[in-house]
Amino acid sequence: MEGSQSHEEHPYIPRDLKLPGFVPVVLSQSTIVGVYAVSSLLIVSTIFVLSGRSPKRSKTERWLMCWWAFTGLTHMILEGYFVFSPEFYKDKTACYLAEVWKEYSKGDSRYAARDAGVVAVEGLTAVLEGPASLLAVYAIATGKSYNYILQFAISLGQLYGTATYFITSWLEGDNFAASPFYYYAYYIGANASWVVIPTLISIRCWKKICAAIQVEGQKKTKVR
């Protein structure tokens, strides 16, 4: 009886989704979004200031370092928590990370339901793309020769993961949001950056890699 009551009280769609032991969100939406926004701003500001100590780095490279630090920590901390906390919706301690996913599930209930496709995509993202993103920060900062290839590979991985995320939802009926607001604010809005920015980075890296190969080819031609 208690389990039945719990799943009837959750705010997610579909309404018959069974979440025994569900504990409602304690923190307000503004607090959850505000903490994430302030934390992200702090990370970006710190990286941008520190990266400015070297006159060799362009502003574009500095912003890229900010992006990779932000996205890397988001993958590892937020998404990592989701992957390894299957019953986050039962949390009674108002743990911030659990609250984030309880709130986000209003835009995509597949998270609360532990949809296999979502868990798989988020797992690969947290374990592989998270650390790789932080490696990209280091690669750009130290001018490593592999930094463009690395950024290109991670960006393609992010685009593939995001495409899989949206396509699987569409194939399953695309009806997992509690309201149009949560659909556009969370499901669409919160994921838009991982479509636009990786696309731009992929294009930039592709051009850099092609230019480098062309220069190398011209050098070999001259040597001959």
Side-chain angles (χ1 to χ4, degrees):
M1 184 68 181
E2 184 178 348
S4 174
Q5 186 178 14
S6 295
H7 84 255
E8 290 177 357
E9 290 179 351
H10 71 68
Y12 311 129
I13 298 296
R15 294 301 302 152
D16 60 355
L17 175 64
K18 294 182 179 180
L19 296 175
F22 172 76
V23 176
V25 181
V26 175
L27 300 178
S28 66
Q29 180 190 56
S30 58
T31 298
I32 293 171
V33 175
V35 169
Y36 182 68
V38 171
S39 300
S40 301
L41 183 61
L42 182 61
I43 292 168
V44 169
S45 300
T46 300
I47 297 297
F48 191 77
V49 170
L50 292 177
S51 64
R53 293 184 176 181
S54 173
K56 296 181 180 179
R57 294 189 202 98
S58 65
K59 274 195 174 181
T60 299
E61 290 176 322
R62 292 170 66 190
W63 283 118
L64 284 171
M65 289 174 67
C66 292
W67 163 252
W68 290 122
F70 159 75
T71 193
L73 292 174
T74 296
H75 292 332
M76 293 173 69
I77 298 173
L78 274 185
E79 292 162 88
Y81 177 86
F82 163 74
V83 172
F84 297 105
S85 303
E87 296 186 335
F88 67 85
Y89 61 84
K90 294 182 179 180
D91 181 78
K92 299 178 181 179
T93 65
C95 167
Y96 176 74
L97 296 176
E99 295 288 283
V100 167
W101 291 113
K102 287 181 188 179
E103 180 66 23
Y104 182 79
S105 292
K106 294 175 183 177
D108 187 351
S109 64
R110 292 180 298 167
Y111 281 81
R114 299 297 289 180
D115 177 84
V118 169
V119 174
V121 169
E122 293 288 16
L124 291 172
T125 299
V127 175
L128 297 180
E129 293 178 10
S133 296
L134 298 187
L135 179 60
V137 177
Y138 168 77
I140 297 171
T142 55
K144 296 296 182 183
S145 59
Y146 60 79
N147 90 81
Y148 293 118
I149 295 175
L150 178 62
Q151 291 182 71
F152 185 67
I154 304 169
S155 295
L156 287 184
Q158 290 178 326
L159 289 171
Y160 179 83
T162 306
T164 301
Y165 174 66
F166 284 128
I167 292 171
T168 52
S169 175
W170 177 71
L171 291 174
E172 293 172 7
D174 197 21
N175 185 32
F176 302 101
S179 71
F181 169 79
Y182 291 116
Y183 180 84
Y184 289 105
Y186 292 176
Y187 178 69
I188 300 295
N191 292 290
S193 296
W194 279 274
V195 173
V196 177
I197 297 178
T199 298
L200 295 176
I201 293 176
S202 296
I203 294 171
R204 180 176 185 270
C205 290
W206 177 265
K207 291 180 178 178
K208 293 284 187 180
I209 293 169
C210 289
I213 293 174
Q214 186 175 16
V215 169
E216 187 65 23
Q218 290 173 349
K219 286 182 181 179
K220 288 181 179 179
T221 302
K222 289 180 180 179
V223 171
R224 293 175 184 174

